[in-house]
Amino acid sequence: MQQFIDAAPGIRLWTEPRGPVDAPPLLLVMGAQATGVGWPEPLVDALAAHHRVIRYDHRDTGRSTWSFEEQPYRIADLATDVIAVLDGLGIGRAHLVGMSLGGMLAQMVLADHPDRCLSATLIGTSTLSTTPYTRPDGRTVPAGELPGIAPEVLELWSRPVEDHGPAAEVARRIEHWRVLAGDQLPFDAEYFRALEHRVIAHTGHHRTSTAHGRAEHDGMLRTEQLATNEVPSLVICAPAEPVFPPPHPHHLAQCVRGARLVEIPGMGHALPPAVQGPLATAILAHTGAATG
């Protein structure tokens, strides 16, 4: 059942809890411009068999307040929204699972509010640390010199987002997913078409906000806090990742003290059916060990 949370003056966030009320809470934090509906139903159901799972819409996505044009905010404010969701639902501590930008927000919460975290799972993201990456041969690489975003992704992101109607918007999003999914698994266009139709039905319109790309990114580094982390943390390695390609996940696992690394074969920067089962298994093994 959906519930709205007042996260800040004039800001309401859509949330959807699922699973037993008395089960350990697990909060799903999606990526930039992505709604909570972007978390696949089978994955949510698999997690909800063991957890009280909460997914939510960021500001300027889905059914949450679209406010950036009148009330600009920083990316750091999206991290405070994570705590606001927990507070609004009366949750003291939760397992966090963050995807892409959501993985960065989870790192910020991990660093700033470790007392609110039962565990953290970081997917398709990059570290908020300036610590160099240590290669298997022992040599170090400055964090800023790790591989960048794939050219085909950058080219797609450089195109202006224009409104040519719902059908054209769905087609644009499918092409976006084709590039993000990587090249190691067959691309299922119909799966992503159905996903985007659900997102549009949930949101109530087909418009896409660019707010998260324009929000200030200052104040996000957490080098020291991540290096002294004590919260059980898992980093998911996606070998076909085009946004934060390996060794970004290996670097992240080095920066977050005590973090484990698990690879999901064929995974890119998307959650198609082929990766949902292995991902659920990895997350549940991690949260189960952390919960004790």
Side-chain angles (χ1 to χ4, degrees):
M1 181 180 296
Q2 70 177 5
Q3 183 173 338
F4 286 89
I5 301 299
D6 292 317
I11 303 295
R12 302 188 77 209
L13 303 179
W14 174 89
T15 73
E16 182 201 61
R18 187 181 308 186
V21 175
D22 58 350
L26 186 152
L27 181 63
L28 297 171
V29 188
M30 242 307 163
Q33 311 305 158
T35 78
V37 176
W39 291 102
E41 297 294 329
L43 176 62
V44 175
D45 286 339
L47 298 177
H50 303 270
H51 291 282
R52 182 190 182 197
V53 177
I54 301 98
R55 55 182 179 177
Y56 74 100
D57 290 341
H58 294 297
R59 306 181 191 195
D60 288 277
T61 74
R63 297 179 182 176
S64 291
T65 304
W66 289 49
S67 63
F68 189 81
E69 302 306 328
E70 298 78 26
Q71 192 176 345
Y73 48 82
R74 303 180 304 148
I75 292 298
D77 293 324
L78 299 180
T80 65
D81 287 349
V82 174
I83 299 299
V85 169
L86 296 181
D87 288 345
L89 295 175
I91 296 171
R93 301 176 70 202
H95 299 281
L96 301 183
V97 178
M99 172 86 181
S100 193
L101 174 63
M104 296 180 186
L105 302 181
Q107 288 178 68
M108 296 173 73
V109 174
L110 192 67
D112 300 344
H113 304 279
D115 57 313
R116 306 300 299 272
C117 304
L118 291 170
S119 76
T121 299
L122 310 173
I123 307 167
T125 194
S126 182
T127 183
L128 301 182
S129 171
T130 58
T131 302
Y133 167 60
T134 302
R135 297 178 3 163
D137 62 9
R139 288 191 290 173
T140 60
V141 179
E145 295 181 13
L146 293 180
I149 300 171
E152 56 269 29
V153 175
L154 291 175
E155 193 280 327
L156 203 60
W157 287 355
S158 71
R159 301 177 190 174
V161 178
E162 300 174 338
D163 188 351
H164 297 290
E169 175 60 19
V170 169
R172 185 191 70 81
R173 295 185 191 183
I174 292 172
E175 181 59 24
H176 189 207
W177 283 121
R178 186 185 304 277
V179 174
L180 291 181
D183 58 4
Q184 294 189 16
L185 294 172
F187 182 72
D188 185 348
E190 292 310 307
Y191 168 80
F192 287 101
R193 186 185 309 279
L195 168 63
E196 291 304 335
H197 280 298
R198 287 197 302 275
V199 168
I200 289 172
H202 168 74
T203 305
H205 59 77
H206 66 276
R207 298 191 305 278
T208 296
S209 171
T210 60
H212 298 168
R214 292 181 286 141
E216 290 290 338
H217 286 63
D218 60 302
M220 292 179 62
L221 284 176
R222 297 292 189 276
T223 302
E224 295 180 4
Q225 298 96 320
L226 295 176
T228 57
N229 168 67
E230 295 185 357
V231 176
S233 299
L234 174 68
V235 176
I236 299 297
C237 178
E241 169 70 59
V243 179
F244 299 114
H248 278 276
H250 304 81
H251 181 220
L252 177 56
Q254 290 178 0
C255 294
V256 180
R257 179 175 176 269
R260 296 188 306 109
L261 188 76
V262 171
E263 180 173 307
I264 305 298
M267 185 173 176
H269 200 77
L271 300 173
V275 309
Q276 293 170 20
L279 183 58
T281 297
I283 294 172
L284 290 173
H286 177 60
T287 60
T291 301

